[in-house]
Amino acid sequence: MSRLTEFFKSKVLSPFDYFLIIGIIAANLIHSVVAGEIDPIGSAAGIAGVICVVLVAKGNIWNYFFGVINVSLYAWISFKSELYGDAALNALYYFPMQFIGLWQWRKRGAVDDVKAVKARKMTAMQRVWLVLGCAVLTVGAALILDKVGDPQPYKDAATTVLSIIAQILMVAAFAEQWMLWIVNNVISVAMWVVCTIEGDSHASLMVLMWIFYLMNSINGYRVWISLARQAHSNDAPNRNPA
C-alpha cells in the first residue's frame, strides 16, 4: 500500500480529480448524517468506484485495484435490490475483466504508478460500426428481455450492451469507451433514482455514485482524446523513420 500512498502524493491527479474523490466521500458522510445511519457497504462501493473511474480517466493502472472492490460490492448491492442482470454483469463479467484489463494495460505501457496507458482513437468508419453494433445488439437484447417479461427491456438491454462493449473498449484502450459510459451513466442514474423512490437499501448512495461517474466520464473523454493524440504523435517517428 506504500506505493499507492506515494501515487496519491504525486501530481498525477488534477484538481478536478480530487474534487470528485473528496466530493463522493463528503456526499457519503452527508448522506449518513441525513439518513441517521451509516451504510458501510454502499459507501465503500461508491468511494471505490469513483476512485476507480477517476484513475481510468487518467489512464492509470491502479484503477483495477479499486475496480475489484467496486464490482464485488456493487454485485452484492444489485443482488439485494433484485437487479439480477446488474448483479450477474458485475460478478461474472466486470470482475474477471479487471484482471484481463490489468494484463492488457501493462502490455500497452502502463507499467508503473504514474505512467499512463497508450490510448488510441477509432477511425470514422469504426465509430460508425460501433454505433450500429450497439443499436442492433440493444434492440435484439431488448426483444429477448421483453419475451421473458422484463418490465423495462430497453433500459436493461441498453445498460447491459453498452457496459459490455465499453469495458472491452476500455481494456483495449480506446477513447471511444467514454461515449458509451456517458450514455450508460445517464441511464443508470435514472434506474437507481427509481430504486430510491421504491425504498431499496443502498439505492440513494448508488445515485450519488453514478452522478459522479457521469461527471468523470465527460472529463475522461476529454483526457483520453488528448492521450490518444499524444500516443499517435509519439509513434509517428517510428512509422516514418526518414
Side-chain angles (χ1 to χ4, degrees):
M1 293 299 290
S2 60
R3 293 179 65 189
L4 183 60
T5 302
E6 291 175 4
F7 166 76
F8 278 105
K9 291 180 179 178
S10 70
K11 296 181 180 179
V12 172
L13 301 180
S14 69
F16 182 75
D17 299 324
Y18 282 110
F19 162 75
L20 291 177
I21 294 172
I22 295 172
I24 190 63
I25 294 173
N28 275 268
L29 291 174
I30 294 171
H31 177 274
S32 298
V33 172
V34 173
E37 61 179 357
I38 299 175
D39 181 358
I41 295 178
S43 294
I47 293 171
V50 169
I51 295 175
C52 172
V53 297
V54 164
L55 296 180
V56 174
K58 306 303 290 187
N60 189 276
I61 200 167
W62 268 105
N63 81 84
Y64 291 107
F65 172 80
F66 292 98
V68 168
I69 297 172
N70 172 255
V71 298
S72 301
L73 296 178
Y74 190 76
W76 172 246
I77 291 170
S78 297
F79 182 80
K80 289 184 64 178
S81 296
E82 298 182 350
L83 299 173
Y84 300 121
D86 263 9
L89 182 65
N90 279 267
L92 303 179
Y93 177 68
Y94 280 153
F95 185 80
M97 285 295 280
Q98 303 306 304
F99 301 97
I100 295 173
L102 178 66
W103 169 56
Q104 284 294 314
W105 276 34
R106 287 183 64 86
K107 290 177 62 178
R108 290 196 59 79
V111 294
D112 56 40
D113 297 347
V114 297
K115 190 174 182 180
V117 68
K118 291 176 64 176
R120 49 185 170 173
K121 292 193 300 181
M122 289 181 162
T123 64
M125 184 54 65
Q126 286 174 326
R127 289 188 177 192
V128 170
W129 282 113
L130 174 64
V131 172
L132 290 176
C134 289
V136 170
L137 290 173
T138 296
V139 172
L143 292 175
I144 294 173
L145 292 174
D146 185 52
K147 290 293 185 181
V148 298
D150 191 306
Q152 301 183 63
Y154 283 93
K155 182 210 69 178
D156 288 347
T159 55
T160 301
V161 169
L162 293 177
S163 295
I164 290 174
I165 296 177
Q167 186 71 28
I168 292 173
L169 295 181
M170 172 186 159
V171 168
F174 279 107
E176 285 74 13
Q177 61 167 299
W178 295 105
M179 297 189 297
L180 304 188
W181 289 129
I182 289 170
V183 176
N184 183 63
N185 292 344
V186 170
I187 296 172
S188 295
V189 167
M191 178 182 71
W192 283 106
V193 165
V194 172
C195 290
T196 300
I197 294 172
E198 293 175 349
D200 290 347
S201 61
H202 313 294
S204 56
L205 289 177
M206 295 302 98
V207 172
L208 290 174
M209 182 184 76
W210 283 103
I211 289 174
F212 277 90
Y213 277 9
L214 176 58
M215 290 189 290
N216 182 75
S217 293
I218 296 170
N219 182 61
Y221 182 71
R222 177 188 65 81
V223 172
W224 272 60
I225 289 297
S226 177
L227 288 175
R229 288 172 180 164
Q230 180 181 344
H232 179 79
S233 176
N234 291 339
D235 289 343
N238 297 327
R239 292 192 299 269
N240 300 284

